[in-house]
Amino acid sequence: MKHWDSYWLSTETLSSFAQSNHKDGYQGDVLYFWNAVFKEFQTSANLLDIGCGNGALAVLAEQYPKGFDITAVDAAKIDPIKHFKNNEKVALSLKNIKFFSQMDCEKLNFDDSSFDYLMSQFGIEYSDIKFSFPEASRVLKSGGELIALVHHRKSFITQDCQQGIKVLSQFISKGGLAYKVKNFIEFCSRYRCIAEPTRKEQNEFLSNNENLLQDFKKVQINFSSEVEQDWFGQLAQNFIPMIVNWREVSVYQIESLIEELINYQLRINEQIQAAWSEDEIKAIITNMNSDWKTIDITPKEIDGELFCWVLRAKKR
């Protein structure tokens, strides 16, 4: 969970789509989907957001003009309010939401029948559903509903992440590009201390610099798809300035970046593993207990591409 703790506590984004236009809240089709859902809810309904992160979905619900009473939980350490002090609209919404950090949805610390609706945007699928679904039923009122957008094993998001993992491994695996940059920065930290480098020392520096840049080129040409090239470009842009500005870069900075990318890889791997397949959907529907009156899980597309599953389960 440390890899999620560090993300939510250090990233100024409401959602885990930090590199997209969703970082300050959901937009487009996702926004339209949830607003259509909120329109169905009664005024002043009690809502629970499961796997809330820094509050993207909870904020969306708070800003919908029905006066919802909103609670939000996440298994990771979260502190959303501290990130958005300079964003008046978001900060005001966050203050109206009751956040609970480090609360697993497999063991919700709420009374029975506490909520009218449960909602989740790419959250509940990370849990052990053998325990989280009974808990969802327990805290829902009779007639209440669980609505969730869930990662799909064949979605364009999952496919993108699978290619991203391939590229990431070339940076942070043993002997990867990130560690070669670290070796170069360590050399540079010693080189900077030499008042008057000899010709041999100067040549060694130039050779290390050139070899490192060539290593980046050799790795890049092995990626054939546009998606892989895009991932490579995004990752490389963290390192190339370090190579160019070697005089100002510390070993601590490169070590921190490597740790950040390792955590990034862990989060992506978890996302891929959490995504539901069609076979898993069938098993979930079969095994959901008799507390549920109706269960509907259908695929959702955006712009003609598979985006996620839509789960809607209504309690008896």
Side-chain angles (χ1 to χ4, degrees), residues 17-54:
F17 292 103
Q19 295 177 325
S20 73
N21 59 355
H22 294 284
K23 65 187 289 289
D24 294 325
Y26 295 125
Q27 300 179 25
D29 287 73
V30 176
L31 171 66
Y32 301 145
F33 171 85
W34 284 112
N35 278 344
V37 169
F38 298 150
K39 187 176 181 180
E40 301 173 18
F41 294 175
Q42 68 264 31
T43 300
S44 303
N46 289 311
L47 313 183
L48 175 64
D49 181 9
I50 295 173
C52 63
N54 275 342

Coordinates of all heavy atoms in Angstrom, one line a residue, residues 17-54:
F17 N -5.8 9.5 -12.7 CA -5.5 9.8 -14.1 C -4.7 11.1 -14.1 O -5.1 12.1 -14.7 CB -6.7 10.0 -15.0 CG -7.5 8.7 -15.2 CD1 -8.6 8.4 -14.5 CD2 -7.0 7.8 -16.1 CE1 -9.3 7.3 -14.7 CE2 -7.7 6.6 -16.3 CZ -8.9 6.3 -15.6
A18 N -3.5 11.1 -13.4 CA -2.8 12.3 -13.2 C -2.2 13.0 -14.5 O -2.0 14.2 -14.5 CB -1.6 12.1 -12.2
Q19 N -2.0 12.1 -15.5 CA -1.4 12.7 -16.7 C -2.5 13.0 -17.8 O -2.2 13.2 -18.9 CB -0.4 11.7 -17.3 CG 0.8 11.5 -16.4 CD 1.8 10.4 -16.9 OE1 1.4 9.4 -17.5 NE2 3.1 10.7 -16.6
S20 N -3.7 12.9 -17.4 CA -4.8 13.2 -18.3 C -5.6 14.5 -17.9 O -5.2 15.1 -16.9 CB -5.8 12.0 -18.4 OG -6.6 12.0 -17.2
N21 N -6.6 14.8 -18.7 CA -7.4 16.0 -18.3 C -8.4 15.7 -17.1 O -9.2 16.5 -16.8 CB -8.2 16.5 -19.5 CG -9.1 15.5 -20.1 OD1 -9.1 14.3 -19.7 ND2 -9.9 15.9 -21.1
H22 N -8.3 14.5 -16.5 CA -9.1 14.2 -15.4 C -8.4 14.5 -14.1 O -9.0 14.3 -13.0 CB -9.5 12.7 -15.4 CG -10.3 12.3 -16.5 ND1 -11.7 12.5 -16.6 CD2 -10.0 11.6 -17.7 CE1 -12.2 12.0 -17.7 NE2 -11.2 11.5 -18.4
K23 N -7.2 15.0 -14.1 CA -6.5 15.2 -12.8 C -7.2 16.2 -11.8 O -7.0 16.0 -10.6 CB -5.0 15.7 -13.1 CG -5.0 17.1 -13.7 CD -3.6 17.5 -14.1 CE -2.7 17.8 -13.0 NZ -3.0 19.0 -12.3
D24 N -7.9 17.1 -12.4 CA -8.7 18.1 -11.5 C -10.1 17.7 -11.4 O -11.0 18.6 -11.0 CB -8.5 19.5 -12.0 CG -7.1 20.0 -11.9 OD1 -6.4 19.6 -11.0 OD2 -6.6 20.7 -12.8
G25 N -10.5 16.5 -11.8 CA -11.9 16.1 -11.7 C -12.3 15.5 -13.0 O -11.7 15.7 -14.1
Y26 N -13.3 14.6 -13.0 CA -13.7 13.9 -14.2 C -14.4 14.8 -15.2 O -15.1 15.7 -14.8 CB -14.6 12.7 -13.8 CG -13.9 11.6 -13.0 CD1 -14.4 11.3 -11.7 CD2 -12.8 11.1 -13.4 CE1 -13.8 10.3 -11.0 CE2 -12.1 10.1 -12.7 CZ -12.6 9.7 -11.4 OH -12.0 8.8 -10.7
Q27 N -14.2 14.5 -16.5 CA -14.7 15.3 -17.5 C -15.3 14.3 -18.6 O -15.2 13.1 -18.5 CB -13.6 16.2 -18.1 CG -13.0 17.1 -17.1 CD -12.0 18.0 -17.8 OE1 -11.9 18.3 -19.0 NE2 -11.0 18.5 -16.9
G28 N -15.9 14.9 -19.6 CA -16.4 14.2 -20.8 C -17.4 13.1 -20.4 O -18.3 13.3 -19.7
D29 N -17.2 11.9 -21.1 CA -18.1 10.8 -20.9 C -18.3 10.3 -19.5 O -19.3 9.9 -19.0 CB -17.7 9.6 -21.8 CG -18.0 9.9 -23.3 OD1 -17.2 10.7 -23.8 OD2 -18.9 9.3 -23.8
V30 N -17.1 10.4 -18.7 CA -17.2 10.0 -17.3 C -18.0 10.9 -16.5 O -18.9 10.5 -15.7 CB -15.8 9.9 -16.7 CG1 -15.8 9.5 -15.2 CG2 -14.9 8.8 -17.5
L31 N -17.9 12.2 -16.7 CA -18.7 13.2 -16.1 C -20.2 13.0 -16.4 O -21.0 13.1 -15.5 CB -18.2 14.6 -16.5 CG -19.1 15.8 -16.1 CD1 -19.1 15.9 -14.6 CD2 -18.6 17.1 -16.7
Y32 N -20.5 12.8 -17.7 CA -21.9 12.7 -18.1 C -22.5 11.4 -17.5 O -23.7 11.4 -17.1 CB -22.0 12.6 -19.7 CG -21.4 13.8 -20.4 CD1 -20.8 13.7 -21.6 CD2 -21.5 15.1 -19.8 CE1 -20.2 14.8 -22.3 CE2 -21.0 16.2 -20.5 CZ -20.4 16.0 -21.7 OH -19.8 17.1 -22.3
F33 N -21.7 10.3 -17.4 CA -22.2 9.1 -16.8 C -22.6 9.3 -15.4 O -23.7 9.0 -15.0 CB -21.1 8.0 -16.9 CG -21.5 6.8 -16.1 CD1 -22.3 5.8 -16.7 CD2 -21.1 6.6 -14.8 CE1 -22.7 4.7 -15.9 CE2 -21.5 5.5 -14.0 CZ -22.3 4.5 -14.6
W34 N -21.7 9.9 -14.6 CA -22.0 10.1 -13.2 C -23.1 11.1 -12.9 O -23.9 11.0 -12.0 CB -20.8 10.4 -12.4 CG -19.9 9.2 -12.2 CD1 -18.6 9.0 -12.7 CD2 -20.2 8.1 -11.4 NE1 -18.2 7.8 -12.3 CE2 -19.1 7.2 -11.5 CE3 -21.3 7.7 -10.6 CZ2 -19.0 6.0 -10.8 CZ3 -21.2 6.5 -9.9 CH2 -20.1 5.6 -10.1
N35 N -23.2 12.2 -13.7 CA -24.3 13.1 -13.6 C -25.6 12.5 -13.9 O -26.6 12.8 -13.2 CB -24.0 14.4 -14.4 CG -23.1 15.4 -13.8 OD1 -22.8 15.3 -12.6 ND2 -22.5 16.3 -14.6
A36 N -25.7 11.6 -14.8 CA -26.9 10.9 -15.1 C -27.3 10.0 -13.9 O -28.5 9.8 -13.6 CB -26.7 10.0 -16.4
V37 N -26.3 9.4 -13.3 CA -26.5 8.5 -12.1 C -27.0 9.4 -11.0 O -28.0 9.1 -10.3 CB -25.2 7.8 -11.7 CG1 -25.4 7.1 -10.3 CG2 -24.9 6.7 -12.7
F38 N -26.4 10.5 -10.7 CA -26.8 11.4 -9.6 C -28.2 11.9 -9.8 O -28.9 12.2 -8.8 CB -25.8 12.6 -9.5 CG -24.4 12.2 -9.2 CD1 -23.3 13.0 -9.6 CD2 -24.1 11.1 -8.4 CE1 -22.0 12.6 -9.3 CE2 -22.8 10.7 -8.1 CZ -21.8 11.5 -8.6
K39 N -28.6 12.1 -11.0 CA -29.9 12.6 -11.3 C -31.0 11.6 -10.8 O -32.1 12.0 -10.4 CB -30.1 12.8 -12.8 CG -31.4 13.5 -13.3 CD -31.4 13.7 -14.8 CE -32.8 14.4 -15.2 NZ -32.8 14.6 -16.6
E40 N -30.6 10.3 -10.8 CA -31.5 9.3 -10.3 C -31.7 9.3 -8.7 O -32.7 8.8 -8.2 CB -31.1 7.9 -10.7 CG -30.9 7.7 -12.2 CD -30.3 6.3 -12.5 OE1 -30.3 5.5 -11.6 OE2 -29.8 6.2 -13.6
F41 N -30.7 9.8 -8.0 CA -30.6 9.8 -6.6 C -31.6 10.8 -6.0 O -31.8 11.9 -6.6 CB -29.2 10.1 -6.0 CG -28.2 9.1 -6.4 CD1 -26.9 9.3 -6.0 CD2 -28.5 7.9 -7.0 CE1 -25.9 8.4 -6.3 CE2 -27.5 7.0 -7.3 CZ -26.2 7.2 -7.0
Q42 N -32.2 10.4 -4.8 CA -33.0 11.4 -4.2 C -32.2 12.5 -3.5 O -31.0 12.3 -3.2 CB -33.9 10.7 -3.1 CG -33.1 10.2 -1.9 CD -32.8 8.7 -2.0 OE1 -32.6 8.2 -3.1 NE2 -32.7 8.0 -0.8
T43 N -32.8 13.7 -3.3 CA -32.2 14.8 -2.7 C -31.7 14.4 -1.3 O -32.4 13.7 -0.6 CB -33.1 16.0 -2.7 OG1 -33.5 16.3 -4.0 CG2 -32.5 17.2 -2.0
S44 N -30.5 14.9 -0.9 CA -30.0 14.7 0.4 C -29.6 13.2 0.7 O -29.5 12.8 1.9 CB -30.9 15.2 1.5 OG -31.2 16.6 1.3
A45 N -29.5 12.4 -0.3 CA -29.1 11.0 -0.1 C -27.8 10.9 0.6 O -26.9 11.7 0.4 CB -29.2 10.3 -1.4
N46 N -27.6 9.8 1.3 CA -26.4 9.5 2.0 C -25.5 8.6 1.0 O -26.0 7.5 0.7 CB -26.6 8.7 3.3 CG -27.1 9.6 4.4 OD1 -26.6 10.7 4.6 ND2 -28.2 9.2 5.0
L47 N -24.4 9.1 0.6 CA -23.5 8.4 -0.4 C -22.2 8.0 0.3 O -21.6 8.7 1.1 CB -23.2 9.3 -1.6 CG -24.3 10.1 -2.2 CD1 -23.8 10.9 -3.4 CD2 -25.5 9.2 -2.6
L48 N -21.7 6.8 -0.2 CA -20.4 6.4 0.2 C -19.6 6.1 -1.0 O -20.0 5.3 -1.9 CB -20.5 5.1 1.1 CG -19.1 4.5 1.4 CD1 -18.3 5.4 2.3 CD2 -19.3 3.1 2.1
D49 N -18.4 6.8 -1.1 CA -17.5 6.6 -2.2 C -16.4 5.7 -1.8 O -15.7 5.9 -0.8 CB -16.9 8.0 -2.6 CG -15.9 7.9 -3.8 OD1 -15.8 6.8 -4.4 OD2 -15.2 8.9 -4.1
I50 N -16.3 4.5 -2.5 CA -15.3 3.5 -2.1 C -14.1 3.5 -3.0 O -14.2 3.6 -4.2 CB -16.0 2.1 -2.3 CG1 -17.1 1.9 -1.3 CG2 -15.0 1.0 -2.1 CD1 -18.0 0.6 -1.5
G51 N -12.9 3.6 -2.4 CA -11.7 3.7 -3.1 C -11.6 5.1 -3.7 O -11.3 5.3 -4.9
C52 N -11.7 6.1 -2.8 CA -12.0 7.5 -3.3 C -10.7 8.2 -3.8 O -10.8 9.3 -4.5 CB -12.6 8.3 -2.2 SG -11.5 8.5 -0.7
G53 N -9.5 7.7 -3.4 CA -8.3 8.5 -3.7 C -8.4 9.9 -3.1 O -8.7 10.1 -2.0
N54 N -8.0 10.9 -3.9 CA -8.1 12.3 -3.4 C -9.5 12.9 -3.6 O -9.6 14.1 -3.4 CB -7.0 13.1 -4.1 CG -5.7 13.0 -3.3 OD1 -5.7 12.6 -2.2 ND2 -4.6 13.4 -4.0

